[in-house]
Amino acid sequence: MTTWGLPDWLEPVARAAEVVEPEQMSRFLPPESGGGRQSAVLVLFGEGPRGPELLLMERASQLRSHGGQPSFPGGALDPEDGDPRTTGPLRAALREAEEETGLDPAGVQIFGVLPRLYIPVSGFVVTPVLGWWREPTPVRAVDSGETARVFTVPVADLTDPANRATAVHPRGHTGPAFLVESALVWGFTAGVIDRIMHYAGWERPWDRAKQVPLDYHA
């Protein structure tokens, strides 16, 4: 992976990816037994009308798993993606992003990966793959049965303290949340965004006492 050609504003993310430890990203780490379904997501940064932005999608509401929840493009590794310990997650992240949003992978420059994390509710071991959208192409919800919409969020909105809150799950656990683009971003996706902004030095002080309750279907 190369950081050559990245815009200056993205360099802090690349540097953070090189040094951040798994425990600094999440308390949910892959099982030591090696279990869990290997998967990857594409954390894709681009340049939009309002400056730096991040690509997200909203899962279709009828899906049994994480229905209606904003997320990064991504999914489970296929055998043809290759070794999950090396380049497999990179191929999977690009392949899934193309399948879900219609983007052209040729315009994406992979510049880093974050530590593998674990989603206990689904048993996925997820590698966040960092990309620079060097040559943007049109995106859309390719399969309406899987994806409700595909959208970008300005980084300025993600760092705005007015758009930040603490999500409170009915079971009692809490985590970071973002209220952006008519969406509530929470869970795994919000956690990764939160840690990226923190370790890249983009985070601004925000009111952690501001809470947003999640419903029982979350």
Side-chain angles (χ1 to χ4, degrees), residues 46-189:
E47 191 90 48
R50 294 182 50 207
E53 61 184 18
L54 190 61
L55 180 70
L56 294 176
M57 48 180 272
E58 189 172 305
R59 295 171 61 81
S61 59
Q62 67 267 27
L63 291 177
R64 290 174 56 189
S65 178
H66 307 293
Q69 188 173 347
S71 67
F72 301 116
L77 269 68
D78 287 344
E80 59 266 27
D81 293 323
D83 191 340
R85 296 166 298 181
T86 55
T87 57
L90 280 62
R91 293 192 183 94
L94 290 173
R95 175 182 53 74
E96 287 282 346
E98 181 179 16
E99 292 175 0
E100 293 175 329
T101 75
L103 65 76
D104 184 354
V108 176
Q109 176 183 338
I110 300 300
F111 67 90
V113 295
L114 295 174
R116 293 189 307 157
L117 305 175
Y118 187 57
I119 303 180
V121 68
S122 59
F124 279 100
V125 174
V126 187
T127 300
V129 178
L130 301 173
W132 158 236
W133 211 354
R134 190 181 64 250
E135 298 176 13
T137 50
V139 290
R140 69 192 192 284
V142 173
D143 182 352
S144 60
E146 296 281 340
T147 308
R149 62 174 174 143
V150 177
F151 59 102
T152 56
V153 180
V155 170
D157 288 352
L158 293 168
T159 59
D160 186 343
N163 297 333
R164 303 213 55 182
T166 297
V168 182
H169 196 278
R171 296 189 181 93
H173 55 261
T174 62
F178 301 84
L179 297 99
V180 290
E181 299 296 322
S182 304
L184 173 64
V185 184
W186 61 280
F188 174 85
T189 303

